[in-house]
Amino acid sequence: MTTTAQVRQVLRPLLSRHSDLALVGRFLIIKPVHHILRGVFVDRCGNPNAFVPIKVVDILLPGRHMMTLGWGGQLYKAPYRIWDANNAVAINTMCEMIEYEVLPGLRQIISFGDFVAVASEKRPLSERVSYEAFTGMHMLLAVAHGDFDKAREIWDSDPQISRYMMSKVPFFYTALLSKDRLALAAFLHQWEAQTIATYKLEKFWEPTPFPLELEGG
């Protein structure tokens, strides 16, 4: 399997040309990281000489203890379906694809609305269901935007989400009922920090207010 050192060697020219990029292990990210994680994860596979680059778009909510790759997709470009580390032409093509085709689009994904637009068109990399099935994420995004009525409607209509949330954060629903912006924002910031720690991105994270905090000012 290809190594992290090989990934760094291959992507070093991109890092030198773009000050908004950072490499964390196999993850080429666009920095700074606010609410949305954008980048390319250069995975490995059973082929010992293969790179498997995957476009990643994801929000930091809910908090995660395991790394996931959100929404995106594996990168292909004819005639290459396998990026052979020993094939200089293929690797050059892979890097050009990342630099000139993938990263410009990722840089334009800034808001939660941008994320929803991408997620609505793609399926998450680890699941076979559409974005519409992620009701828990819909509920948290409604909270993040300060749409508490919508968030409560989702909560009340999905017993699985309400049971899970009550078992993990029993005071969340109380804050939602009372529309306590400070308490709800604190929950969201805590979950984002948890995800950032899981991905080891503390150095590149800039905590920023949620829309609900700006609306409540």
Side-chain angles (χ1 to χ4, degrees):
M1 293 180 287
T2 53
T3 66
T4 302
Q6 287 176 291
V7 173
R8 177 166 293 279
Q9 180 180 4
V10 165
L11 296 181
R12 185 177 290 118
L14 273 70
L15 293 166
S16 67
R17 288 195 293 269
H18 299 277
S19 60
D20 67 337
L21 299 180
L23 187 63
V24 182
R26 290 176 167 269
F27 205 166
L28 181 71
I29 66 162
I30 297 174
K31 61 180 183 178
V33 179
H34 293 151
H35 300 303
I36 302 173
L37 184 60
R38 305 159 296 163
V40 176
F41 187 83
V42 185
D43 208 349
R44 54 192 176 183
C45 64
N47 185 327
N49 299 314
F51 292 120
V52 184
I54 300 168
K55 182 170 72 173
V56 176
V57 179
D58 205 1
I59 59 174
L60 302 179
L61 299 172
R64 285 166 221 149
H65 294 287
M66 294 181 61
M67 184 175 179
T68 61
L69 296 179
W71 281 258
Q74 191 170 333
L75 305 182
Y76 299 110
K77 192 176 186 71
Y80 305 108
R81 287 189 63 83
I82 295 178
W83 302 101
D84 190 334
N86 297 319
N87 185 332
V89 176
I91 296 307
N92 183 64
T93 301
M94 181 187 79
C95 290
E96 288 182 345
M97 183 180 184
I98 292 172
E99 184 171 14
Y100 300 114
E101 298 181 27
V102 177
L103 291 176
L106 290 177
R107 290 188 177 101
Q108 296 178 25
I109 301 170
I110 299 172
S111 68
F112 285 127
D114 296 334
F115 162 74
V116 170
V118 171
S120 297
E121 295 177 355
K122 302 284 186 179
R123 289 190 176 185
L125 298 174
S126 60
E127 302 285 348
R128 294 184 178 275
V129 296
S130 69
Y131 170 74
E132 293 304 318
F134 285 76
T135 53
M137 184 172 288
H138 299 175
M139 189 267 293
L140 292 179
L141 284 174
V143 171
H145 279 104
D147 191 345
F148 305 128
D149 291 337
K150 180 179 179 180
R152 185 176 174 184
E153 178 183 343
I154 295 172
W155 177 294
D156 292 340
S157 65
D158 192 327
Q160 184 176 354
I161 291 298
S162 58
R163 285 196 300 269
Y164 176 82
M165 292 291 290
M166 287 299 292
S167 68
K168 298 294 183 181
V169 279
F171 298 110
F172 185 89
Y173 191 58
T174 301
L176 181 58
L177 286 177
S178 61
K179 300 183 179 181
D180 187 337
R181 291 177 179 266
L182 289 178
L184 291 169
F187 281 121
L188 299 184
H189 285 297
Q190 179 181 348
W191 288 328
E192 283 200 334
Q194 178 180 307
T195 299
I196 286 293
T198 296
Y199 284 74
K200 297 180 172 59
L201 296 177
E202 294 92 340
K203 182 179 178 181
F204 309 108
W205 183 43
E206 292 182 359
T208 52
F210 289 94
L212 76 93
E213 295 175 272
L214 300 177
E215 295 172 5

